[in-house]
C-alpha cells in the first residue's frame, strides 16, 4: 500500500459514505473531497511539539503511540460550500455548521476506523491516537494535536485565530493515523508556522466572544463560549465564525501587493 492507495481510500470513503449526508437538513453534504498528507514518524518537528510554547511536554511522539512507527497519515476534511455559506451570518453558529462540527467529527471517527482496518488487512500495524484510551486533554492541551500533526505533514499553517489554513482553506476537520508502513513523506511547502496567514484581521471581527486580537487567540475565552453554545444546543456545539466569512475560508488567502 502506497500514498496513492491511502489517498484514494480516504477520498472514496468520504465522497461515498452515507454518513456524509444529513437527511434532516435537506440532504446536506458535510464534506468535500479531502486533502491527504504524510509525515515521517521520526520527523524532528514531532519532538519540537513537546516544547511548552508549542503543544507541551505531554504531547506524545508517534513512536510512543506505536512502537516501530514509520509514518503518520494526516487528512483535512473541508466543509462543503453549503455548510460554510450558512455560517456567514453573524451571531451563533448556523445549524448546518453545528451538524458539520458534530456529525462531521463522527464521520471522521468512522473514517479513522475504516483506514485502520484497511491498513491492518494489508499486514500493517496502525493506530489512531484520538481513538486510543491513552488520549487525553488536560487544561485545554492534548497529548496528540491533530492541527499540529497536520502542520508537520505539510497540510497547512496556523492563522491568527489558531485555525489551520490549508490549500482548501481553514473550514473543516483534521484527523490522523500512525502506521508502521514506510510511506514516502509528502512535501511541506512552507517554513514558518503562520506562513499562509496574511494577518488581515478579518477573524477578529468575526469572533462572537472577542477571543481574537492582533496578538492572537485567547483559548480560554473561546472554550468558555463553546461551553455556553453546548448548553444551548446540546448535544451539538460549535462556532466556526473565524473560519467562515474570511479570506482563508476555502483557500490560502492572497496577500495584498505591497
Amino acid at each position: 500500500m502506497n500514498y496513492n492507495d491511502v489517498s484514494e481510500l480516504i477520498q472514496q470513503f468520504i465522497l461515498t459514505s452515507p454518513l456524509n449526508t444529513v437527511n434532516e437538513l435537506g440532504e446536506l453534504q458535510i464534506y468535500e473531497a479531502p486533502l491527504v498528507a504524510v509525515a515521517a514518524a521520526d520527523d524532528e518537528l514531532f519532538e519540537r511539539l513537546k516544547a511548552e510554547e508549542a503543544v507541551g511536554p505531554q504531547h506524545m511522539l508517534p513512536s510512543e503511540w506505536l512502537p516501530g512507527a514509520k509514518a503518520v497519515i494526516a487528512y483535512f476534511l473541508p466543509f462543503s460550500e453549503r455548510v460554510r455559506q450558512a455560517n456567514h451570518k453573524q451571531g451563533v453558529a448556523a445549524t448546518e455548521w453545528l451538524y458539520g462540527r458534530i456529525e462531521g467529527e463522527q464521520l471522521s471517527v468512522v473514517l479513522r476506523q475504516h483506514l485502520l482496518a484497511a491498513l491492518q488487512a494489508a499486514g500493517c500495524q496502525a493506530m489512531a491516537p484520538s481513538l486510543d484510551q491513552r488520549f487525553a486533554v488536560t487544561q485545554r492541551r492534548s497529548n496528540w494535536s491533530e492541527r499540529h500533526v497536520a502542520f508537520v505533514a505539510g497540510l497547512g499553517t496556523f492563522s491568527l485565530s489558531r485555525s489551520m489554513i490549508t490549500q482548501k482553506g481553514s473550514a473543516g476537520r483534521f484527523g490522523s493515523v500512525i502506521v508502521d508502513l514506510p510511506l514516502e513523506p509528502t512535501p511541506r511547502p512552507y517554513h514558518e508556522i503562520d506562513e499562509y496567514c496574511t494577518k488581515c484581521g478579518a477573524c477578529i471581527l468575526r469572533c462572537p466572544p472577542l477571543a481574537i486580537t492582533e496578538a492572537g487567540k485567547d483559548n480560554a475565552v473561546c472554550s468558555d463560549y463553546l461551553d455556553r453554545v453546548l448548553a444551548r444546543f446540546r448535544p451539538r456545539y460549535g462556532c466556526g465564525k473565524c473560519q467562515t466569512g474570511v479570506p482563508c475560508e476555502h483557500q490560502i488567502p492572497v496577500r495584498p501587493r505591497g
Side-chain angles (χ1 to χ4, degrees):
M1 183 174 286
N2 57 32
Y3 169 80
N4 289 334
D5 296 326
V6 171
S7 180
E8 180 66 17
L9 183 69
I10 294 173
Q11 297 276 344
Q12 288 302 310
F13 182 82
I14 289 299
L15 296 179
T16 62
S17 173
L19 296 177
N20 197 27
T21 301
V22 181
N23 293 325
E24 56 262 46
L25 294 182
E27 299 186 349
L28 170 72
Q29 179 183 335
I30 299 175
Y31 295 126
E32 296 176 352
L35 297 176
V36 181
V38 175
D42 61 356
D43 192 306
E44 64 175 11
L45 288 187
F46 283 117
E47 185 67 47
R48 291 169 63 180
L49 294 183
K50 286 180 174 287
E52 192 65 40
E53 64 272 17
V55 184
Q58 81 288 347
H59 199 270
M60 295 169 61
L61 299 172
S63 60
E64 292 177 303
W65 290 103
L66 179 69
K70 296 289 195 302
V72 180
I73 302 165
Y75 59 79
F76 175 65
L77 306 178
F79 285 131
S80 68
E81 182 178 7
R82 184 177 164 194
V83 172
R84 292 187 280 104
Q85 289 286 336
N87 208 43
H88 280 195
K89 66 179 182 180
Q90 293 288 355
V92 72
T95 300
E96 292 88 345
W97 185 271
L98 296 177
Y99 272 79
R101 171 66 179 81
I102 303 306
E103 274 75 1
E105 182 57 29
Q106 291 171 356
L107 171 55
S108 186
V109 167
V110 178
L111 169 59
R112 291 181 182 93
Q113 295 169 338
H114 178 71
L115 185 55
L116 290 177
L119 289 164
Q120 291 162 359
C124 306
Q125 294 294 314
M127 63 85 62
S130 66
L131 305 184
D132 192 89
Q133 61 181 1
R134 293 170 293 171
F135 179 75
V137 179
T138 305
Q139 296 181 338
R140 301 187 178 92
R141 289 191 170 194
S142 70
N143 56 2
W144 186 254
S145 169
E146 301 288 12
R147 290 177 303 142
H148 286 80
V149 169
F151 173 83
V152 176
L155 280 177
T157 76
F158 287 88
S159 68
L160 190 64
S161 68
R162 305 305 291 165
S163 298
M164 289 291 294
I165 303 175
T166 74
Q167 292 288 340
K168 294 191 175 184
S170 59
R173 304 291 297 166
F174 292 92
S176 61
V177 164
I178 303 172
V179 65
D180 69 354
L181 184 67
L183 295 170
E184 184 73 21
T186 49
R188 188 163 56 227
Y190 43 76
H191 298 91
E192 303 299 326
I193 194 169
D194 59 352
E195 194 165 314
Y196 292 162
C197 183
T198 65
K199 304 297 189 301
C200 69
C203 57
I204 297 175
L205 302 177
R206 292 279 294 161
C207 182
L210 307 179
I212 307 169
T213 67
E214 292 180 355
K217 178 182 176 182
D218 188 321
N219 290 326
V221 172
C222 176
S223 181
D224 289 345
Y225 174 74
L226 290 177
D227 287 343
R228 296 196 298 274
V229 175
L230 175 60
R232 180 176 176 184
F233 296 102
R234 192 180 302 273
R236 298 179 184 85
Y237 71 97
C239 178
K241 297 300 179 178
C242 63
Q243 298 173 5
T244 52
V246 293
C248 59
E249 175 185 307
H250 62 91
Q251 62 184 4
I252 297 173
V254 177
R255 292 185 178 276
R257 295 179 179 177

